[in-house]
Amino acid sequence: MNTLCIAVDAMGGDSGWQSVLPAVVMAAKCYPAIEFHLYGESFVDDEVNALMRSHKSLSNITFTPSAASVEMDESPKSALRYKRDSSMGMALQSVASGKSHGCISAGNTGALVALGMHFLKCYQGLSRPALCKVIPAIKSSSGDQLLGAKRAGGSTHSYLLDLGANVDCSAQQLQQFACLGAMLCSVLEKSNAPSVRLLNIGKEAFKGSSLIQEAAERCEKTTSLNYQGFIEADEIFQGVVDVIVCDGFSGNIALKASEGAARTVMGNLRHVFSRHLFSRLLALLSQPLLRCWQDNINPDKYNGAYLLGLKGTVVKSHGGADKQQFFYALEMLIKQLQQQSAAVNTTRSNPNDESMKATNMDVTNMESVFSSTFGSNS
Amino acid sequence: MNTLCIAVDAMGGDSGWQSVLPAVVMAAKCYPAIEFHLYGESFVDDEVNALMRSHKSLSNITFTPSAASVEMDESPKSALRYKRDSSMGMALQSVASGKSHGCISAGNTGALVALGMHFLKCYQGLSRPALCKVIPAIKSSSGDQLLGAKRAGGSTHSYLLDLGANVDCSAQQLQQFACLGAMLCSVLEKSNAPSVRLLNIGKEAFKGSSLIQEAAERCEKTTSLNYQGFIEADEIFQGVVDVIVCDGFSGNIALKASEGAARTVMGNLRHVFSRHLFSRLLALLSQPLLRCWQDNINPDKYNGAYLLGLKGTVVKSHGGADKQQFFYALEMLIKQLQQQSAAVNTTRSNPNDESMKATNMDVTNMESVFSSTFGSNS
């Protein structure tokens, strides 16, 4: 399997195949060397054929019909019992069997976690996987101050997990998520000892729930972690730390609140600039600047989260994603797979490379590193 | 006590009296009919005297020295044991004794809750008070779409609670916070049966933690509540509901994440507009529009949260507030006290007023309504 292959659940998300198919066509054009294996209910085949007819040059998309699809409001239990042969289940099986290198779905998160655990299994010692997202550090001027962006001791982005795969978390799970996030960051950023913080309602050591207190204690004791204490939610976009860890409930709230606030702020500027003739003229003149600004902060661009801790690469797109947003998530998966394969090739071709030795892992051995830390005490 | 009197903890917050004193002077000038009782360590007296000398017309500020002040990182237990005669404690006692109508502090939240419960007591049946904030519904254009702002079935703002007074909440507490929020909204907005939702990671009924599921069940069964299900964090600013309820951990995360995102987005626009000569010229021309925009969304303006459920009016300012932000919180307290006193006067002068009957309460009887709902099953 030299060609990079990606399995796609064509039925997932609020608008299902209607967003997924056009996004896959866009990706297939941009990445002609990658193969896209679509899984969906048989009626979607006609849509795929129609698309293939109108894009004759595309030969890197295949379609396999599935017996069912997972509903967006279906319980994980029901999905696990009745929907193993769904489009989502088949995409995951394609990764498990080695046919695809990774898969993507915009479907039901709970079902994706349950079916992912069933078909791909978790790392030894990990009870459940976590959703992890790249959070950009956005350049910001306030007087002379520059927040975020690459600066001494700062990161251009942070990894935030969990984002909703686990609503009730134990302190040990938070500690495990910290390790998972640090491992991913080590591999993707070639970063040595990435800094880790726990999301809390204050920075002072005594603040927060008993759960967060116990998690902090566990992280402090984990010698392989570069744990640096608590972080508050208003610092998420400032690039002050590499990995931010929280339970899935808080993470989901933090992410959605930020997206909602960013969209509201952007929308209000549009509103203010559209009020009268002169303001509309100014908006027209400022168009390139406003577009650049919108491009910097647009939450759509950051669609896609890694389902981390499974023995296989899975990306979850937002359920409400449109074709452009789904395309962004697809691109994220592609880039991760390309980086993983580059990392593996580097290690193989140059086993004495010091940068690889420093991080002491690549994606293929993340599992063994994790298992050696947690395998005995899970 | 006809004149409105406000007790101020002059020592609270990261910058203590240095932010509080100038803010109180600003307020004393804007509201000459209101009396401000400052409480602070004796050395602050000199600062107050110096201020009074340079603002000779001000006769509505008094200062009472306190024996101590609560540290920002002090535990609630220690504050309750050793700091009852602190500036914070004395400001609360001033309300308890009837000398002041309400008080404000930018100090340690945990200590304010502990000392507030000690001096003012909670409503009967309520185990702990909650921090509640007014969240603006911000006008936003996205194509033809208008989010938030007053529209059919929408609110111009929502009440969000709890914001950090309770990090570990029970389902019953969430139900009680729902009632507290609805009561406050009824009184301040003269709104009949305000709509209430629980903050969750999805709108579907099966989503969320076991805690949120039980809280939803309890809210559904509370006939006095107009409970309408779950709300996701990206809808907080859309004015889709009157009251949003969550535990203090999630609420604090949602609020700070939103503030952080809004500041980042604003800061990035400044950054984009400051890059070269032409963009700076455009920024100059757009100054009035940008100022209007900044004014609409500036999180500083919304500093101040009600500590709800105590038998006395207490407002908590953000600990990091500067003088302008502390002034906004002071104004919020003043407006609430003015509205309360207007509501009481309306009921007294016109006891048959239908609008008051509809809401069936004013602030003075919030406690009895609450106690009759929860007094028996707490």
Side-chain angles (χ1 to χ4, degrees), chain A residues 72-76 108-109 138-143 146-147 164 167-168 199-202 204 206-212 232-238 247-276 278-280 282 285-286 288-290 292-294 296-297 318, chain B residues 72-76 108-109 138-143 146-147 164 167-168 199-202 204 206-212 232-238 247-276 278-280 282 285-286 288-290 292-294 296-297 318:
Chain A
M72 288 304 274
D73 59 356
E74 193 163 351
S75 76
N108 183 323
T109 306
I138 295 167
K139 252 189 192 152
S140 176
S141 306
S142 162
L146 254 180
L147 300 172
V167 285
D168 291 309
L199 187 66
N200 197 3
I201 60 170
E204 299 86 347
F206 71 94
K207 284 220 172 161
S209 59
S210 44
L211 176 84
I212 210 88
E232 292 187 71
D234 54 355
E235 293 179 319
I236 287 177
F237 298 95
Q238 296 182 11
D247 66 273
F249 197 88
S250 312
N252 192 285
I253 299 277
L255 190 72
K256 283 187 185 151
S258 309
E259 288 178 358
R263 286 208 177 88
T264 304
V265 169
M266 286 162 75
N268 189 264
L269 187 73
R270 271 194 294 272
H271 170 75
V272 167
F273 266 104
S274 67
R275 282 194 302 195
H276 43 70
F278 181 65
S279 62
R280 272 183 229 134
L282 277 175
L285 288 169
S286 310
L289 292 171
L290 293 176
C292 162
W293 173 64
Q294 196 159 329
N296 289 341
I297 55 174
H318 193 287
Chain B
M72 288 304 275
D73 59 357
E74 194 162 350
S75 76
N108 182 322
T109 305
I138 295 168
K139 252 189 191 152
S140 178
S141 306
S142 162
L146 254 181
L147 300 173
V167 285
D168 291 309
L199 187 66
N200 197 3
I201 60 170
E204 299 86 346
F206 71 93
K207 284 222 172 161
S209 59
S210 44
L211 175 84
I212 210 87
E232 291 187 73
D234 54 355
E235 293 179 317
I236 287 177
F237 299 94
Q238 296 182 11
D247 65 273
F249 196 90
S250 312
N252 193 285
I253 299 279
L255 190 72
K256 283 187 183 149
S258 309
E259 288 178 359
R263 286 210 178 87
T264 304
V265 169
M266 287 163 74
N268 188 263
L269 187 73
R270 270 194 296 273
H271 170 76
V272 167
F273 266 104
S274 67
R275 283 195 301 196
H276 43 70
F278 182 65
S279 63
R280 273 184 227 134
L282 277 175
L285 288 169
S286 310
L289 292 171
L290 294 175
C292 162
W293 172 65
Q294 196 159 328
N296 289 341
I297 55 172
H318 193 287

Side-chain angles (χ1 to χ4, degrees), chain A residues 310-323:
Chain A
L310 292 177
K311 299 180 186 175
T313 305
V314 180
V315 160
K316 166 79 178 77
S317 155
H318 193 287
D322 61 18
K323 62 180 179 183

Side-chain angles (χ1 to χ4, degrees), chain B residues 176-189:
Chain B
Q176 293 182 339
F177 296 166
C179 292
L180 282 178
M183 283 172 175
L184 184 73
C185 182
S186 287
V187 174
L188 297 186
E189 311 289 326

Side-chain angles (χ1 to χ4, degrees), chain A residues 146-166:
Chain A
L146 254 180
L147 300 172
K150 198 76 186 174
R151 58 167 202 280
S155 312
T156 54
H157 47 260
S158 309
Y159 292 82
L160 176 63
L161 76 167
D162 174 44
L163 296 171
N166 310 276

Side-chain angles (χ1 to χ4, degrees), chain A residues 39-233:
Chain A
Y39 296 89
E41 287 192 58
S42 53
F43 71 89
V44 178
D45 200 11
D46 296 341
E47 309 293 336
V48 176
N49 287 333
L51 269 174
M52 297 297 272
R53 274 195 301 276
S54 58
H55 300 278
K56 284 208 173 98
S57 59
L58 291 180
S59 58
N60 53 341
I61 300 180
T62 62
F63 180 82
T64 310
S66 67
S69 53
V70 177
E71 303 298 324
M72 288 304 274
D73 59 356
E74 193 163 351
S75 76
K77 219 171 171 177
S78 150
L80 195 57
R81 190 155 182 186
Y82 306 111
K83 300 289 177 72
R84 295 189 192 179
D85 52 357
S86 61
S87 54
M88 185 190 278
M90 288 177 77
L92 289 161
Q93 285 177 66
S94 170
V95 180
S97 68
K99 190 181 168 200
S100 299
H101 292 88
C103 81
I104 183 170
S105 173
N108 183 323
T109 306
L112 189 66
V113 172
L115 290 170
M117 286 171 70
H118 176 74
F119 288 119
L120 294 170
K121 313 290 177 219
C122 279
Y123 292 172
Q124 198 195 332
L126 180 71
S127 52
R128 280 172 66 87
L131 277 170
C132 177
K133 204 168 166 120
V134 178
I135 302 289
I138 295 167
K139 252 189 192 152
S140 176
S141 306
S142 162
D144 293 336
Q145 197 189 354
L146 254 180
L147 300 172
K150 198 76 186 174
R151 58 167 202 280
S155 312
T156 54
H157 47 260
S158 309
Y159 292 82
L160 176 63
L161 76 167
D162 174 44
L163 296 171
N166 310 276
V167 285
D168 291 309
C169 280
S170 69
Q172 194 196 32
Q173 274 181 299
L174 291 178
Q175 175 199 13
Q176 292 183 338
F177 296 166
C179 292
L180 283 178
M183 283 172 175
L184 184 73
C185 182
S186 287
V187 174
L188 297 187
E189 311 290 326
K190 297 184 180 49
S191 139
N192 190 6
S195 54
V196 176
R197 292 198 191 189
L198 283 166
L199 187 66
N200 197 3
I201 60 170
K203 278 203 215 87
E204 299 86 347
F206 71 94
K207 284 220 172 161
S209 59
S210 44
L211 176 84
I212 210 88
Q213 288 290 329
E214 191 194 329
E217 212 171 289
R218 281 176 168 270
C219 286
E220 264 161 18
K221 284 183 189 156
T222 313
T223 49
S224 62
L225 275 183
N226 175 16
Y227 175 67
Q228 301 194 339
F230 296 135
I231 183 172
E232 292 187 71

Side-chain angles (χ1 to χ4, degrees), chain B residues 9-82:
Chain B
D9 167 15
M11 310 305 290
D14 298 336
S15 49
W17 59 270
Q18 285 161 305
S19 293
V20 174
L21 293 195
V24 171
V25 168
M26 282 159 72
K29 280 182 182 170
C30 293
Y31 301 92
I34 297 179
E35 275 187 17
F36 297 88
H37 300 153
L38 280 164
Y39 296 89
E41 286 191 60
S42 52
F43 71 88
V44 179
D45 200 11
D46 296 340
E47 309 293 336
V48 176
N49 287 331
L51 270 174
M52 297 298 270
R53 274 195 300 277
S54 58
H55 300 277
K56 285 210 173 95
S57 58
L58 291 179
S59 58
N60 53 340
I61 301 180
T62 63
F63 180 81
T64 310
S66 67
S69 54
V70 177
E71 303 298 324
M72 288 304 275
D73 59 357
E74 194 162 350
S75 76
K77 220 171 172 176
S78 150
L80 195 58
R81 192 156 180 184
Y82 305 112

